[in-house]
Amino acid sequence: MTASTANAQRFREFKMPDVGEGLTEAEILKWYVQPGDTVTDGQVVCEVETAKAAVELPIPYTGVVHELRFGEGVTVDVGTAIIAVDTDPGAGPAEAPAAAPQEAAADEEAEPQGRQAVLVGYGAAPSSTKRRARKPQPGVPAQPEPAKAALQAELNGRAAPAAPATPVAPAVQPAPAAPAGSAVPAAGRPLAKPPVRKLAKDLGIDLATILPTGPDGIITREDVHAAATPAAAPAEAPAPVAVAAAEPGTIDTAARERRVPVKGVRKATAQAMVASAFTAPHVTEFITVDVTRTMKLVQELKQDPDMAGLRVNPLLLVAKAFLVALKRHPEANAAWDEANQEIVYKDYVNLGIAAATPRGLIVPNIKDAGAKTLPQLASELGDLVATAREGKTSPAAMAGGTVTITNVGVFGVDTGTPILNPGESAILAFGAVKLQPWVHKGKVKARQVTTLALSFDHRLVDGELGSKLLADVAAVLERPKRLITWG
Protein backbone atom coordinates (compact mmCIF):
# COMPACT_ATOMS: atom_id res chain seq x y z
CA MET A 1 0.00 0.00 0.00
CA THR A 2 1.45 3.34 -1.04
CA ALA A 3 1.66 6.34 1.27
CA SER A 4 -0.91 8.25 -0.79
CA THR A 5 -3.35 5.35 -0.60
CA ALA A 6 -2.88 5.09 3.16
CA ASN A 7 -3.47 8.81 3.57
CA ALA A 8 -6.62 8.63 1.45
CA GLN A 9 -7.99 5.86 3.67
CA ARG A 10 -7.05 7.69 6.83
CA PHE A 11 -8.30 11.14 5.85
CA ARG A 12 -11.88 10.75 4.70
CA GLU A 13 -13.68 13.52 2.84
CA PHE A 14 -17.40 14.12 3.29
CA LYS A 15 -19.03 15.52 0.16
CA MET A 16 -22.09 17.71 -0.10
CA PRO A 17 -24.95 15.23 -0.60
CA ASP A 18 -28.12 15.68 -2.62
CA VAL A 19 -30.50 16.17 0.31
CA GLY A 20 -33.53 16.92 -1.87
CA GLU A 21 -35.04 15.92 -5.16
CA GLY A 22 -32.31 16.51 -7.71
CA LEU A 23 -30.88 19.64 -6.07
CA THR A 24 -27.54 20.78 -7.43
CA GLU A 25 -26.20 23.04 -4.66
CA ALA A 26 -26.61 24.07 -1.04
CA GLU A 27 -25.41 26.93 1.15
CA ILE A 28 -23.53 26.17 4.36
CA LEU A 29 -25.42 28.04 7.06
CA LYS A 30 -23.54 26.95 10.17
CA TRP A 31 -20.70 24.67 11.21
CA TYR A 32 -21.19 22.81 14.48
CA VAL A 33 -17.57 21.58 14.57
CA GLN A 34 -14.12 23.07 14.06
CA PRO A 35 -10.73 21.56 13.14
CA GLY A 36 -9.46 19.46 16.05
CA ASP A 37 -12.94 18.48 17.29
CA THR A 38 -13.74 14.81 17.72
CA VAL A 39 -16.73 13.53 15.73
CA THR A 40 -18.58 10.23 15.69
CA ASP A 41 -20.46 8.40 12.98
CA GLY A 42 -23.90 10.00 12.63
CA GLN A 43 -23.03 13.24 14.41
CA VAL A 44 -24.48 16.41 12.88
CA VAL A 45 -21.57 18.60 11.74
CA CYS A 46 -23.29 21.41 9.84
CA GLU A 47 -26.56 22.92 8.72
CA VAL A 48 -27.10 23.69 5.04
CA GLU A 49 -29.87 25.44 3.17
CA THR A 50 -31.01 23.98 -0.11
CA ALA A 51 -33.45 25.49 -2.53
CA LYS A 52 -36.22 23.93 -0.43
CA ALA A 53 -35.28 23.87 3.24
CA ALA A 54 -32.61 23.98 5.91
CA VAL A 55 -31.16 20.53 6.62
CA GLU A 56 -28.67 19.25 9.19
CA LEU A 57 -25.98 16.94 7.79
CA PRO A 58 -24.60 14.02 9.84
CA ILE A 59 -21.11 12.76 9.02
CA PRO A 60 -20.59 9.04 8.34
CA TYR A 61 -17.10 8.87 9.91
CA THR A 62 -15.56 8.75 13.37
CA GLY A 63 -12.36 10.67 14.01
CA VAL A 64 -10.97 14.18 14.37
CA VAL A 65 -11.91 17.06 12.12
CA HIS A 66 -8.84 17.88 10.04
CA GLU A 67 -10.18 20.64 7.78
CA LEU A 68 -13.33 22.57 6.91
CA ARG A 69 -13.14 23.15 3.17
CA PHE A 70 -15.68 25.98 3.03
CA GLY A 71 -16.81 28.69 5.41
CA GLU A 72 -20.32 29.64 6.46
CA GLY A 73 -22.38 31.46 3.87
CA VAL A 74 -20.71 29.72 0.92
CA THR A 75 -22.82 27.93 -1.70
CA VAL A 76 -21.30 24.56 -2.62
CA ASP A 77 -22.14 22.24 -5.50
CA VAL A 78 -23.45 18.78 -4.70
CA GLY A 79 -20.60 16.25 -4.77
CA THR A 80 -17.94 18.71 -3.56
CA ALA A 81 -15.95 17.77 -0.44
CA ILE A 82 -16.79 20.12 2.42
CA ILE A 83 -14.94 18.55 5.38
CA ALA A 84 -11.99 16.20 5.92
CA VAL A 85 -11.80 13.84 8.91
CA ASP A 86 -8.73 12.06 10.27
CA THR A 87 -10.12 8.60 11.07
CA ASP A 88 -6.89 7.43 12.75
CA PRO A 89 -5.49 10.40 14.71
CA GLY A 90 -3.37 8.12 16.92
CA ALA A 91 -1.25 6.95 13.98
CA GLY A 92 0.93 10.04 14.13
CA PRO A 93 1.33 12.99 11.79
CA ALA A 94 0.50 12.51 8.16
CA GLU A 95 -0.20 14.73 5.21
CA ALA A 96 -3.88 14.94 4.34
CA PRO A 97 -4.91 14.95 0.69
CA ALA A 98 -5.21 18.51 -0.52
CA ALA A 99 -8.44 19.87 -1.90
CA ALA A 100 -8.55 20.35 -5.63
CA PRO A 101 -7.64 23.93 -6.46
CA GLN A 102 -10.35 26.17 -7.84
CA GLU A 103 -8.28 26.80 -10.95
CA ALA A 104 -8.14 23.13 -11.83
CA ALA A 105 -11.87 22.81 -11.33
CA ALA A 106 -12.42 25.74 -13.62
CA ASP A 107 -10.20 24.17 -16.27
CA GLU A 108 -12.09 20.91 -16.03
CA GLU A 109 -15.35 22.77 -16.41
CA ALA A 110 -14.06 24.71 -19.36
CA GLU A 111 -12.78 21.59 -21.12
CA PRO A 112 -15.09 18.70 -20.17
CA GLN A 113 -13.93 15.22 -21.00
CA GLY A 114 -16.94 13.25 -22.16
CA ARG A 115 -20.37 13.73 -20.60
CA GLN A 116 -20.64 15.32 -17.19
CA ALA A 117 -22.37 13.44 -14.37
CA VAL A 118 -25.28 15.28 -12.76
CA LEU A 119 -27.73 14.29 -10.04
CA VAL A 120 -30.06 12.43 -12.37
CA GLY A 121 -28.60 10.84 -15.49
CA TYR A 122 -25.92 12.71 -17.39
CA GLY A 123 -25.58 16.07 -18.98
CA ALA A 124 -25.68 16.72 -22.65
CA ALA A 125 -22.89 15.30 -24.75
CA PRO A 126 -20.25 17.82 -25.75
CA SER A 127 -20.84 19.38 -29.10
CA SER A 128 -18.54 18.23 -31.90
CA THR A 129 -19.36 21.30 -33.96
CA LYS A 130 -16.47 23.71 -34.32
CA ARG A 131 -16.63 27.18 -35.77
CA ARG A 132 -14.16 28.14 -38.43
CA ALA A 133 -11.80 30.94 -37.61
CA ARG A 134 -12.57 34.21 -39.26
CA LYS A 135 -10.46 34.94 -42.29
CA PRO A 136 -8.51 38.17 -42.16
CA GLN A 137 -10.01 40.89 -44.28
CA PRO A 138 -7.97 42.17 -47.23
CA GLY A 139 -6.04 45.26 -46.29
CA VAL A 140 -6.61 44.79 -42.56
CA PRO A 141 -3.43 43.64 -40.80
CA ALA A 142 -3.64 41.20 -37.89
CA GLN A 143 -3.89 43.03 -34.59
CA PRO A 144 -1.47 42.14 -31.79
CA GLU A 145 -2.93 41.86 -28.29
CA PRO A 146 -2.08 45.45 -27.19
CA ALA A 147 -3.54 46.79 -30.40
CA LYS A 148 -6.71 44.77 -29.85
CA ALA A 149 -7.06 46.22 -26.37
CA ALA A 150 -6.56 49.74 -27.70
CA LEU A 151 -9.09 49.19 -30.48
CA GLN A 152 -11.65 47.72 -28.09
CA ALA A 153 -11.18 50.71 -25.78
CA GLU A 154 -11.73 53.08 -28.68
CA LEU A 155 -14.89 51.23 -29.68
CA ASN A 156 -16.17 51.55 -26.12
CA GLY A 157 -15.50 55.28 -26.10
CA ARG A 158 -12.66 54.97 -23.61
CA ALA A 159 -9.03 55.93 -23.63
CA ALA A 160 -6.63 53.19 -24.63
CA PRO A 161 -5.02 51.36 -21.72
CA ALA A 162 -1.59 52.53 -20.72
CA ALA A 163 1.19 50.86 -22.69
CA PRO A 164 3.75 48.71 -20.87
CA ALA A 165 6.73 50.57 -19.50
CA THR A 166 9.09 49.62 -22.35
CA PRO A 167 11.06 51.97 -24.60
CA VAL A 168 9.19 52.91 -27.74
CA ALA A 169 10.96 54.42 -30.75
CA PRO A 170 9.62 57.95 -31.20
CA ALA A 171 9.97 57.72 -34.98
CA VAL A 172 7.18 55.11 -35.24
CA GLN A 173 3.93 56.76 -36.25
CA PRO A 174 0.62 55.17 -35.10
CA ALA A 175 -1.71 53.98 -37.80
CA PRO A 176 -4.72 56.22 -38.30
CA ALA A 177 -7.71 55.13 -36.25
CA ALA A 178 -10.46 53.52 -38.25
CA PRO A 179 -14.00 54.83 -37.85
CA ALA A 180 -16.07 53.07 -35.19
CA GLY A 181 -18.44 51.65 -37.74
CA SER A 182 -15.65 49.96 -39.68
CA ALA A 183 -13.47 48.85 -36.77
CA VAL A 184 -14.93 45.34 -36.80
CA PRO A 185 -14.98 43.39 -40.06
CA ALA A 186 -18.47 43.43 -41.45
CA ALA A 187 -18.22 40.04 -43.09
CA GLY A 188 -21.33 38.24 -41.91
CA ARG A 189 -23.10 38.14 -38.58
CA PRO A 190 -20.95 38.57 -35.42
CA LEU A 191 -20.32 35.23 -33.71
CA ALA A 192 -21.87 34.97 -30.25
CA LYS A 193 -23.85 32.43 -28.26
CA PRO A 194 -27.58 33.08 -27.65
CA PRO A 195 -27.14 34.07 -23.95
CA VAL A 196 -24.45 36.56 -24.98
CA ARG A 197 -26.71 37.97 -27.70
CA LYS A 198 -29.51 38.39 -25.16
CA LEU A 199 -27.13 40.10 -22.73
CA ALA A 200 -26.01 42.50 -25.44
CA LYS A 201 -29.61 43.22 -26.37
CA ASP A 202 -30.56 43.88 -22.74
CA LEU A 203 -27.62 46.26 -22.35
CA GLY A 204 -28.29 48.01 -25.66
CA ILE A 205 -24.93 47.00 -27.15
CA ASP A 206 -24.51 46.43 -30.89
CA LEU A 207 -22.52 43.22 -31.34
CA ALA A 208 -21.08 44.59 -34.57
CA THR A 209 -19.16 47.22 -32.57
CA ILE A 210 -17.49 44.68 -30.25
CA LEU A 211 -14.05 43.24 -30.93
CA PRO A 212 -14.23 39.52 -30.01
CA THR A 213 -11.63 38.01 -27.72
CA GLY A 214 -13.01 34.47 -27.54
CA PRO A 215 -11.73 31.48 -29.52
CA ASP A 216 -12.52 31.46 -33.23
CA GLY A 217 -13.64 35.06 -33.06
CA ILE A 218 -16.56 34.44 -30.69
CA ILE A 219 -17.83 37.39 -28.64
CA THR A 220 -17.87 36.53 -24.91
CA ARG A 221 -19.88 37.88 -22.00
CA GLU A 222 -16.78 39.71 -20.82
CA ASP A 223 -16.55 41.46 -24.19
CA VAL A 224 -20.16 42.65 -23.83
CA HIS A 225 -19.64 43.84 -20.26
CA ALA A 226 -16.46 45.64 -21.31
CA ALA A 227 -18.34 47.38 -24.10
CA ALA A 228 -21.07 48.41 -21.67
CA THR A 229 -18.64 49.87 -19.14
CA PRO A 230 -18.94 53.69 -19.02
CA ALA A 231 -16.08 55.60 -20.57
CA ALA A 232 -13.23 56.25 -18.17
CA ALA A 233 -11.47 59.59 -18.05
CA PRO A 234 -7.87 59.57 -19.42
CA ALA A 235 -5.27 59.12 -16.71
CA GLU A 236 -3.49 62.32 -17.66
CA ALA A 237 -6.63 64.44 -17.69
CA PRO A 238 -6.60 67.07 -14.94
CA ALA A 239 -9.20 66.84 -12.23
CA PRO A 240 -12.21 69.05 -12.87
CA VAL A 241 -12.25 72.28 -10.93
CA ALA A 242 -15.90 72.02 -10.00
CA VAL A 243 -18.43 69.20 -9.94
CA ALA A 244 -21.51 69.81 -12.00
CA ALA A 245 -24.56 70.14 -9.83
CA ALA A 246 -27.24 67.46 -10.13
CA GLU A 247 -30.28 68.37 -12.09
CA PRO A 248 -33.19 69.67 -10.01
CA GLY A 249 -35.36 66.85 -8.70
CA THR A 250 -32.63 64.19 -9.14
CA ILE A 251 -31.97 62.09 -6.03
CA ASP A 252 -29.03 59.73 -5.68
CA THR A 253 -30.48 56.54 -4.19
CA ALA A 254 -27.52 54.20 -4.70
CA ALA A 255 -26.26 54.72 -1.15
CA ARG A 256 -29.66 53.75 0.24
CA GLU A 257 -30.09 50.51 -1.67
CA ARG A 258 -29.13 46.98 -0.66
CA ARG A 259 -28.47 44.07 -3.00
CA VAL A 260 -28.96 40.54 -1.71
CA PRO A 261 -28.03 37.45 -3.78
CA VAL A 262 -31.01 35.36 -4.85
CA LYS A 263 -30.46 31.91 -3.40
CA GLY A 264 -31.93 29.20 -1.20
CA VAL A 265 -35.67 29.20 -0.56
CA ARG A 266 -36.16 32.59 -2.21
CA LYS A 267 -34.55 31.35 -5.43
CA ALA A 268 -36.65 28.17 -5.44
CA THR A 269 -39.85 30.12 -4.75
CA ALA A 270 -39.15 32.54 -7.58
CA GLN A 271 -38.45 29.74 -10.04
CA ALA A 272 -41.54 27.79 -8.98
CA MET A 273 -43.86 30.79 -9.18
CA VAL A 274 -42.61 31.82 -12.62
CA ALA A 275 -42.87 28.25 -13.88
CA SER A 276 -46.40 27.90 -12.52
CA ALA A 277 -47.67 31.29 -13.68
CA PHE A 278 -46.45 30.76 -17.24
CA THR A 279 -47.27 27.04 -17.53
CA ALA A 280 -50.65 26.44 -15.89
CA PRO A 281 -53.51 28.65 -17.11
CA HIS A 282 -54.85 30.10 -13.86
CA VAL A 283 -58.48 30.86 -13.13
CA THR A 284 -59.42 32.48 -9.82
CA GLU A 285 -62.94 32.63 -8.40
CA PHE A 286 -64.17 34.36 -5.25
CA ILE A 287 -66.98 33.87 -2.77
CA THR A 288 -67.96 35.76 0.39
CA VAL A 289 -69.52 33.66 3.13
CA ASP A 290 -70.99 34.03 6.60
CA VAL A 291 -68.78 31.91 8.89
CA THR A 292 -70.39 32.86 12.20
CA ARG A 293 -71.42 29.26 12.94
CA THR A 294 -67.91 28.01 12.11
CA MET A 295 -66.35 30.52 14.50
CA LYS A 296 -68.72 29.34 17.25
CA LEU A 297 -67.73 25.73 16.52
CA VAL A 298 -64.06 26.66 16.88
CA GLN A 299 -64.74 27.94 20.41
CA GLU A 300 -66.69 24.80 21.27
CA LEU A 301 -63.97 22.50 19.98
CA LYS A 302 -61.40 24.25 22.16
CA GLN A 303 -63.37 22.98 25.16
CA ASP A 304 -63.79 19.45 23.79
CA PRO A 305 -61.75 16.82 25.72
CA ASP A 306 -60.93 15.02 22.46
CA MET A 307 -59.15 18.17 21.26
CA ALA A 308 -57.25 18.79 24.49
CA GLY A 309 -53.68 19.88 23.87
CA LEU A 310 -54.32 20.47 20.18
CA ARG A 311 -54.27 23.78 18.35
CA VAL A 312 -57.83 24.56 17.22
CA ASN A 313 -58.32 27.57 14.97
CA PRO A 314 -60.43 28.60 11.95
CA LEU A 315 -57.75 27.28 9.54
CA LEU A 316 -58.35 23.78 10.86
CA LEU A 317 -62.02 23.88 9.89
CA VAL A 318 -61.24 25.52 6.54
CA ALA A 319 -58.86 22.64 5.82
CA LYS A 320 -61.53 20.10 6.79
CA ALA A 321 -64.11 21.88 4.64
CA PHE A 322 -61.73 21.84 1.67
CA LEU A 323 -61.12 18.11 2.13
CA VAL A 324 -64.85 17.41 2.28
CA ALA A 325 -65.44 19.42 -0.89
CA LEU A 326 -62.66 17.55 -2.69
CA LYS A 327 -64.23 14.27 -1.63
CA ARG A 328 -67.43 15.41 -3.35
CA HIS A 329 -65.50 16.53 -6.45
CA PRO A 330 -62.52 14.16 -6.76
CA GLU A 331 -61.88 15.15 -10.40
CA ALA A 332 -60.42 18.41 -9.11
CA ASN A 333 -57.64 16.55 -7.31
CA ALA A 334 -55.42 15.84 -10.30
CA ALA A 335 -52.14 16.68 -12.02
CA TRP A 336 -51.17 17.46 -15.60
CA ASP A 337 -48.47 15.19 -17.08
CA GLU A 338 -47.09 17.19 -19.99
CA ALA A 339 -44.50 14.61 -20.99
CA ASN A 340 -47.01 11.78 -21.41
CA GLN A 341 -49.97 14.00 -22.28
CA GLU A 342 -52.03 12.49 -19.49
CA ILE A 343 -54.16 13.70 -16.59
CA VAL A 344 -53.26 11.93 -13.35
CA TYR A 345 -56.27 11.65 -11.02
CA LYS A 346 -55.22 11.09 -7.42
CA ASP A 347 -57.21 9.09 -4.92
CA TYR A 348 -55.39 10.74 -2.01
CA VAL A 349 -55.02 14.34 -0.89
CA ASN A 350 -51.67 15.69 0.27
CA LEU A 351 -52.82 19.02 1.66
CA GLY A 352 -50.22 21.78 1.44
CA ILE A 353 -50.18 24.67 3.90
CA ALA A 354 -48.33 27.78 2.73
CA ALA A 355 -46.09 28.93 5.58
CA ALA A 356 -44.16 32.19 5.83
CA THR A 357 -40.77 31.56 7.47
CA PRO A 358 -37.70 33.73 8.09
CA ARG A 359 -36.11 32.08 5.06
CA GLY A 360 -39.10 32.66 2.79
CA LEU A 361 -42.29 30.93 1.69
CA ILE A 362 -42.44 27.15 1.90
CA VAL A 363 -45.34 24.75 1.34
CA PRO A 364 -45.08 21.56 3.41
CA ASN A 365 -48.01 19.19 3.12
CA ILE A 366 -49.98 16.80 5.28
CA LYS A 367 -49.77 13.38 3.68
CA ASP A 368 -53.09 11.62 3.02
CA ALA A 369 -54.95 14.40 4.82
CA GLY A 370 -58.34 13.29 3.51
CA ALA A 371 -58.17 10.07 5.54
CA LYS A 372 -57.45 11.76 8.88
CA THR A 373 -59.87 12.54 11.68
CA LEU A 374 -60.23 16.11 12.94
CA PRO A 375 -57.93 15.53 15.97
CA GLN A 376 -55.33 13.89 13.72
CA LEU A 377 -55.56 16.77 11.25
CA ALA A 378 -55.17 19.29 14.07
CA SER A 379 -52.12 17.47 15.43
CA GLU A 380 -50.35 17.30 12.07
CA LEU A 381 -51.25 20.87 11.20
CA GLY A 382 -49.75 22.09 14.48
CA ASP A 383 -46.56 20.05 13.98
CA LEU A 384 -46.25 21.26 10.38
CA VAL A 385 -46.49 24.94 11.31
CA ALA A 386 -44.11 24.62 14.29
CA THR A 387 -41.49 22.77 12.23
CA ALA A 388 -41.73 25.34 9.44
CA ARG A 389 -41.23 28.27 11.83
CA GLU A 390 -38.14 26.59 13.27
CA GLY A 391 -36.76 26.18 9.75
CA LYS A 392 -36.56 22.40 10.14
CA THR A 393 -38.96 21.34 7.39
CA SER A 394 -37.44 18.51 5.36
CA PRO A 395 -37.58 18.36 1.54
CA ALA A 396 -39.69 15.20 1.80
CA ALA A 397 -42.34 17.13 3.75
CA MET A 398 -42.70 19.55 0.83
CA ALA A 399 -42.84 16.93 -1.93
CA GLY A 400 -45.92 15.37 -3.46
CA GLY A 401 -48.55 17.99 -2.63
CA THR A 402 -51.84 17.89 -4.54
CA VAL A 403 -53.70 21.02 -3.35
CA THR A 404 -52.79 23.91 -1.03
CA ILE A 405 -54.33 26.40 1.40
CA THR A 406 -52.83 29.85 1.97
CA ASN A 407 -54.08 31.73 5.02
CA VAL A 408 -53.71 35.39 4.03
CA GLY A 409 -56.29 36.36 6.65
CA VAL A 410 -53.69 36.26 9.43
CA PHE A 411 -52.25 39.43 7.88
CA GLY A 412 -55.62 41.18 7.87
CA VAL A 413 -55.98 40.71 4.09
CA ASP A 414 -59.46 40.08 2.70
CA THR A 415 -58.29 37.75 -0.09
CA GLY A 416 -55.95 37.48 -3.08
CA THR A 417 -55.30 35.65 -6.33
CA PRO A 418 -52.96 32.84 -5.23
CA ILE A 419 -50.56 31.18 -7.66
CA LEU A 420 -50.63 27.41 -7.88
CA ASN A 421 -47.84 25.39 -6.36
CA PRO A 422 -46.21 23.65 -9.37
CA GLY A 423 -47.74 20.27 -10.09
CA GLU A 424 -50.92 20.95 -8.11
CA SER A 425 -54.43 21.53 -9.38
CA ALA A 426 -55.85 24.08 -6.92
CA ILE A 427 -55.00 26.51 -4.13
CA LEU A 428 -57.50 28.05 -1.70
CA ALA A 429 -56.92 31.48 -0.14
CA PHE A 430 -58.60 32.04 3.24
CA GLY A 431 -59.14 35.74 3.96
CA ALA A 432 -59.61 37.67 7.18
CA VAL A 433 -62.76 37.05 9.21
CA LYS A 434 -64.46 40.38 9.98
CA LEU A 435 -67.71 41.61 11.49
CA GLN A 436 -69.84 42.90 8.64
CA PRO A 437 -73.51 43.76 8.11
CA TRP A 438 -75.19 40.66 6.68
CA VAL A 439 -78.75 39.68 5.94
CA HIS A 440 -79.54 36.81 8.31
CA LYS A 441 -83.05 35.39 8.60
CA GLY A 442 -84.47 38.43 6.87
CA LYS A 443 -82.74 41.00 9.04
CA VAL A 444 -79.48 42.91 8.71
CA LYS A 445 -77.17 41.81 11.50
CA ALA A 446 -73.49 41.96 12.33
CA ARG A 447 -72.08 38.62 11.25
CA GLN A 448 -68.58 37.17 10.96
CA VAL A 449 -67.79 37.11 7.26
CA THR A 450 -64.81 36.04 5.17
CA THR A 451 -63.88 35.88 1.50
CA LEU A 452 -62.46 32.75 -0.11
CA ALA A 453 -60.52 32.66 -3.39
CA LEU A 454 -59.86 29.49 -5.35
CA SER A 455 -57.25 29.40 -8.13
CA PHE A 456 -57.21 26.28 -10.28
CA ASP A 457 -55.45 24.91 -13.35
CA HIS A 458 -57.91 25.38 -16.19
CA ARG A 459 -56.32 22.49 -18.10
CA LEU A 460 -57.60 20.18 -15.37
CA VAL A 461 -60.54 21.97 -13.83
CA ASP A 462 -63.18 23.67 -15.94
CA GLY A 463 -65.32 26.55 -14.72
CA GLU A 464 -68.24 24.42 -13.57
CA LEU A 465 -66.10 22.03 -11.53
CA GLY A 466 -64.09 24.86 -9.97
CA SER A 467 -67.25 26.77 -9.08
CA LYS A 468 -68.86 23.74 -7.46
CA LEU A 469 -65.71 23.01 -5.47
CA LEU A 470 -65.50 26.56 -4.11
CA ALA A 471 -69.26 26.72 -3.42
CA ASP A 472 -69.09 23.51 -1.39
CA VAL A 473 -66.20 24.82 0.73
CA ALA A 474 -68.28 27.92 1.47
CA ALA A 475 -71.39 25.84 2.20
CA VAL A 476 -69.53 23.78 4.81
CA LEU A 477 -68.16 26.89 6.51
CA GLU A 478 -71.60 28.51 6.51
CA ARG A 479 -73.21 25.41 8.06
CA PRO A 480 -70.44 23.29 9.61
CA LYS A 481 -72.90 20.47 10.40
CA ARG A 482 -72.30 19.52 6.76
CA LEU A 483 -68.96 18.19 7.94
CA ILE A 484 -71.07 15.33 9.28
CA THR A 485 -73.75 15.01 6.61
CA TRP A 486 -71.28 15.35 3.70
CA GLY A 487 -68.19 13.90 5.32
Side-chain angles (χ1 to χ4, degrees), residues 2-49:
T2 65
S4 60
T5 302
N7 281 349
Q9 292 182 352
R10 173 178 170 180
F11 292 91
R12 305 301 297 270
E13 294 180 334
F14 178 57
K15 299 179 179 180
M16 178 70 74
D18 176 11
V19 296
E21 300 175 329
L23 300 176
T24 59
E25 62 183 19
E27 177 188 355
I28 298 175
L29 294 180
K30 184 177 182 180
W31 282 109
Y32 296 129
V33 296
Q34 295 297 325
D37 291 352
T38 300
V39 294
T40 57
D41 186 355
Q43 177 180 340
V44 173
V45 294
C46 67
E47 181 182 23
V48 301
E49 183 181 41

Side-chain angles (χ1 to χ4, degrees), residues 201-408:
K201 181 179 179 182
D202 293 341
L203 296 177
I205 304 299
D206 183 0
L207 289 175
T209 65
I210 299 178
L211 186 66
T213 62
D216 298 336
I218 297 176
I219 297 173
T220 66
R221 296 178 67 91
E222 289 73 18
D223 296 336
V224 176
H225 283 300
T229 303
E236 66 276 10
V241 177
V243 179
E247 295 183 6
T250 302
I251 300 176
D252 183 11
T253 59
R256 294 182 290 164
E257 296 177 347
R258 293 182 299 112
R259 290 180 176 267
V260 179
V262 179
K263 57 185 178 180
V265 176
R266 174 59 58 193
K267 181 177 180 179
T269 301
Q271 292 173 342
M273 293 299 96
V274 170
S276 177
F278 292 97
T279 301
H282 284 55
V283 173
T284 305
E285 295 185 341
F286 308 88
I287 191 169
T288 303
V289 57
D290 177 3
V291 293
T292 304
R293 292 187 178 93
T294 292
M295 300 303 290
K296 289 181 179 179
L297 179 58
V298 168
Q299 298 304 318
E300 293 174 2
L301 288 174
K302 288 181 177 181
Q303 308 302 322
D304 193 307
D306 291 334
M307 304 297 288
L310 300 176
R311 183 178 178 84
V312 179
N313 54 23
L315 179 60
L316 172 63
L317 294 186
V318 171
K320 192 63 177 178
F322 197 15
L323 293 169
V324 169
L326 284 168
K327 185 176 181 181
R328 287 168 57 85
H329 305 285
E331 300 86 357
N333 186 42
W336 183 273
D337 187 342
E338 181 67 27
N340 296 316
Q341 287 295 292
E342 295 175 341
I343 296 176
V344 183
Y345 292 101
K346 301 182 179 182
D347 296 331
Y348 59 91
V349 179
N350 290 344
L351 180 62
I353 304 295
T357 72
R359 293 191 177 98
L361 175 68
I362 63 173
V363 188
N365 60 75
I366 300 173
K367 304 294 192 261
D368 210 10
K372 299 187 182 301
T373 64
L374 192 63
Q376 291 172 338
L377 191 64
S379 176
E380 296 216 15
L381 184 59
D383 293 342
L384 178 148
V385 173
T387 303
R389 288 176 177 172
E390 294 172 0
K392 303 298 183 182
T393 303
S394 67
M398 293 182 283
T402 61
V403 295
T404 292
I405 295 177
T406 176
N407 185 11
V408 298

